[in-house]
């Protein structure tokens, strides 16, 4: 561990920007699916982090947390202004109305800035926050100097709503200590405004807003903690599931390449030692070339394959199988290639490859029909051979069917159905993926 400090402490001290460190020092125990006491899991999520490891995308995403106090002020300030107008009519309407309009404008600008497409810049964020803070601090004394005494406390209630939102905004953006300092500073500010309008400090009245300020700060801190710990938990689960998916993909690759070649070597039909050696050497060279190609150019191969529609992918697969001795007759209905994503095309192609290899190894025939059609809001690929077939009761699905076919399609929302013992003999495999 390169740094130190608790993620929860950093979150409370620094506010939402600390969420950018959520990716660091993630223990596997956080995402352990085994039952665990809630406090123990929270303790692991709140554990040590590396402050120097900051994720840029998370740092940009944290700005959206401050939308909560902005939305609160955008709704509550006009509502409180409406209450003031209902109670006092036009008395002090101009300064209170001007404050309300300026408050709405600041919050609308904040919203627009949050949703803009330009890159996030911390310096600009601090400038906007400083402008908002100055407006919040100056509003009570300005209102005190411009509204009649008889409506002063109700006018101040309108600005208090904006002030409560400021406490939440500072807590989320800069941390709980900043929010608490602002709350304490609002007490002398309120007494100053009282003195400017009434000639008295009204200490009790100034203290009356503290419960609302503390509640706003507490809610903002709670939102901060829930967002931070939730992000860290989601990242841990995502990392764990990504590792499992990568491991499953590696297992499928080994099964579909190395294991298939080893089995082909073992099933070589010739009894002549020289011919058998030549055949084994040919298979070994072909497999070595395939593995090297997978290692060195997997990305470029996928990108190149992605440029071809599904029909061409399956035609290339049929040619590949023909080189190994299996003649696949491809029947493709007219398809709209744009309706099926590249991820699903590759998944169904690889599942068809495994089905054809099973035919080549187990059916006892060298012919198979591959039919492609639209069905039930998706694409179905059916492979049909008239070979020996098998009995599901005595031959349960192995790794090839359960992982290279069923699990591969399930990952993209698809299904598979393997049927054997059909009229006329043989096996039919139906693969389906949605549009």
């Amino acid at each position: 561990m390169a740094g130190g400090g608790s993620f929860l402490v950093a979150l409370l001290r620094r506010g939402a920007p600390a969420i950018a460190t959520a990716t660091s020092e993630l223990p596997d125990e956080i995402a352990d699916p085994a039952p665990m006491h809630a406090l123990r899991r929270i303790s692991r999520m709140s554990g040590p982090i590396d402050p120097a490891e900051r994720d840029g995308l998370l740092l940009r995403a944290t700005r959206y947390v401050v939308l909560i106090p902005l939305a609160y002020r955008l709704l509550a300030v006009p509502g409180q202004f409406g209450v003031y107008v209902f109670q006092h009519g036009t008395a002090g309407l101009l300064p209170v109305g001007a404050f309300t309009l300026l408050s709405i404008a600041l919050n609308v600008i904040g919203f627009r800035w949050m949703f803009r497409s330009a890159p996030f810049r911390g310096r600009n964020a601090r400038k906007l926050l400083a402008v908002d803070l100055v407006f919040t601090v100056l509003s009570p004394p300005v209102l005190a100097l411009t509204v009649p005494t008889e409506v002063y406390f109700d006018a101040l209630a309108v600005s208090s709503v904006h002030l409560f939102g400021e406490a939440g905004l500072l807590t989320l953006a800069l941390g709980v200590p900043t929010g608490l300092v602002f709350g304490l500073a609002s007490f002398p500010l309120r007494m100053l405004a009282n003195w400017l309008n009434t000639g008295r400090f009204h200490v009790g009245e100034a203290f009356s807003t503290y419960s609302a300020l503390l509640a706003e700060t507490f809610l903002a801190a709670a939102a901060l903690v829930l967002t931070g710990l939730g992000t860290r938990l989601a990242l841990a689960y995502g990392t764990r599931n990504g590792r499992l998916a990568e491991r499953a993909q590696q297992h499928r690759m080994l099964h579909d390449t190395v294991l298939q070649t080893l089995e082909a070597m073992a099933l070589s039909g010739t009894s002549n030692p020289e011919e058998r050696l030549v055949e084994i050497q040919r298979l070994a060279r072909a497999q070595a070339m395939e593995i090297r190609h997978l290692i060195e150019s997997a990305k470029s191969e996928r990108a190149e394959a992605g440029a071809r529609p599904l029909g061409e992918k399956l035609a290339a697969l049929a040619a590949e199988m023909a080189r190994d001795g299996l003649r696949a007759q491809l029947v493709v209905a007219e398809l709209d290639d744009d309706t099926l994503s590249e991820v699903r095309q590759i998944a169904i192609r690889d599942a068809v490859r495994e089905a054809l290899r099973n035919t080549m190894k187990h059916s006892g025939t060298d012919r198979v029909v591959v039919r492609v059609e639209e069905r039930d809001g998706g694409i179905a690929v059916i492979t049909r051979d008239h070979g020996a077939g098998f009995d599901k009761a005595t031959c349960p699905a192995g790794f090839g069917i359960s992982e290279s076919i069923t699990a591969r399609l399930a990952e993209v929302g698809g299904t598979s159905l393997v049927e054997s013992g059909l009229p006329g003999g043989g096996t039919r495999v139906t693969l389906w993926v949605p549009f």
Side-chain angles (χ1 to χ4, degrees):
M1 185 170 63
S6 162
F7 176 69
L8 182 60
V9 172
L11 197 62
L12 294 175
R13 288 180 58 187
R14 294 165 43 203
I19 296 177
T21 64
T23 58
S24 67
E25 306 295 339
L26 277 173
D28 294 337
E29 193 176 2
I30 293 179
D32 189 350
M36 182 187 303
H37 194 280
L39 291 179
R40 184 180 178 186
R41 195 180 298 273
I42 291 173
S43 175
R44 297 296 183 272
M45 290 188 289
S46 306
I49 56 169
D50 181 0
E53 185 178 334
R54 306 181 73 190
D55 186 275
L57 180 60
L58 280 178
L59 183 61
R60 293 191 294 271
T62 55
R63 62 183 178 178
Y64 298 116
V65 178
V66 303
L67 292 176
I68 300 172
L70 291 180
Y72 163 76
R73 295 193 310 197
L74 199 57
L75 296 174
V77 170
Q80 190 64 38
F81 174 69
V83 173
Y84 174 86
V85 172
F86 179 78
Q87 291 177 340
H88 301 291
T90 59
L93 183 62
L94 182 60
V96 179
F99 165 82
T100 302
L101 290 176
L102 287 173
S103 174
I104 292 173
L106 277 174
N107 288 290
V108 170
I109 290 172
F111 261 95
R112 291 193 62 183
W113 186 80
M114 290 297 170
F115 288 115
R116 80 200 192 291
S117 57
F120 176 79
R121 299 187 185 279
R123 182 178 300 178
N124 293 336
R126 288 190 289 271
K127 288 179 180 178
L128 285 174
L129 197 59
V131 170
D132 193 87
L133 179 60
V134 169
F135 173 77
T136 304
V137 171
L138 292 181
S139 295
V142 170
L143 285 176
L145 293 171
T146 54
V147 299
T149 302
E150 60 270 16
V151 299
Y152 162 70
F153 287 109
D154 288 330
L156 200 61
V158 180
S159 70
S160 294
V161 174
H162 187 95
L163 183 141
F164 298 154
E166 186 71 20
L169 183 63
L170 292 174
T171 300
L172 289 170
L174 301 177
V176 174
T178 304
L180 291 176
V181 168
F182 174 78
L184 292 173
S186 67
F187 173 64
L189 176 67
R190 189 68 176 262
M191 288 198 300
L192 173 63
N194 293 343
W195 180 80
L196 289 174
N197 186 271
T198 66
R200 298 174 57 191
F201 288 115
H202 292 283
V203 177
E205 192 280 332
F207 265 119
S208 66
T209 60
Y210 257 57
S211 58
L213 267 174
L214 289 175
E216 184 71 26
T217 304
F218 174 80
L219 290 175
L224 188 62
V225 170
L226 290 176
T227 302
L229 294 184
T231 299
R232 198 157 159 85
L233 179 62
L235 287 169
Y237 270 107
T239 301
R240 178 180 181 274
N241 290 337
R243 288 172 180 168
L244 291 176
E246 183 179 10
R247 188 178 303 161
Q249 185 179 18
Q250 291 171 348
H251 288 172
R252 290 171 194 150
M253 186 189 71
L254 288 173
H255 175 274
D256 297 348
T257 56
V258 177
L259 185 59
Q260 297 286 356
T261 299
L262 292 175
E263 289 180 343
M265 291 177 178
L267 293 174
S268 179
T270 180
S271 58
N272 187 301
E274 294 184 358
E275 292 180 358
R276 184 175 177 84
L277 178 60
V278 170
E279 176 66 13
I280 290 175
Q281 289 176 336
R282 184 190 69 81
L283 291 171
R285 282 194 299 269
Q287 185 60 75
M289 291 177 62
E290 184 176 356
I291 293 177
R292 185 179 298 277
H293 183 68
L294 286 171
I295 294 174
E296 295 179 351
S297 59
K299 292 184 179 179
S300 60
E301 188 272 340
R302 177 158 293 192
E304 181 182 350
R308 302 197 302 265
L310 178 61
E312 292 186 20
K313 288 183 175 69
L314 294 178
L317 177 59
E320 176 188 327
M321 292 295 107
R323 289 193 295 270
D324 291 332
L326 179 65
R327 288 179 287 180
Q329 179 185 354
L330 184 62
V331 181
V332 182
E334 185 174 347
L335 302 174
D336 183 0
D337 294 308
D338 293 334
T339 60
L340 196 62
S341 70
E342 176 63 19
V343 173
R344 285 173 172 160
Q345 288 188 39
I346 291 175
I348 201 165
R349 180 202 63 187
D350 292 345
V352 171
R353 176 186 283 113
E354 178 60 23
L356 295 181
R357 282 178 171 166
N358 284 340
T359 296
M360 188 167 54
K361 288 193 302 183
H362 305 302
S363 69
T365 181
D366 62 354
R367 295 176 182 270
V368 64
V369 176
V370 181
R371 189 171 73 254
V372 186
E373 62 186 39
E374 292 190 18
R375 177 188 297 183
D376 301 329
I379 296 291
V381 180
I382 304 97
T383 68
R384 177 72 163 93
D385 68 65
H386 292 276
F390 66 94
D391 185 359
K392 287 186 177 182
T394 58
C395 298
F399 185 94
I401 293 178
S402 63
E403 290 295 328
S404 293
I405 295 180
T406 303
R408 174 176 278 134
L409 293 182
E411 286 181 356
V412 296
T415 60
S416 65
L417 176 63
V418 180
E419 303 169 278
S420 196
L422 302 170
T427 301
R428 178 169 59 216
V429 179
T430 304
L431 312 173
W432 177 88
V433 291
F435 289 134

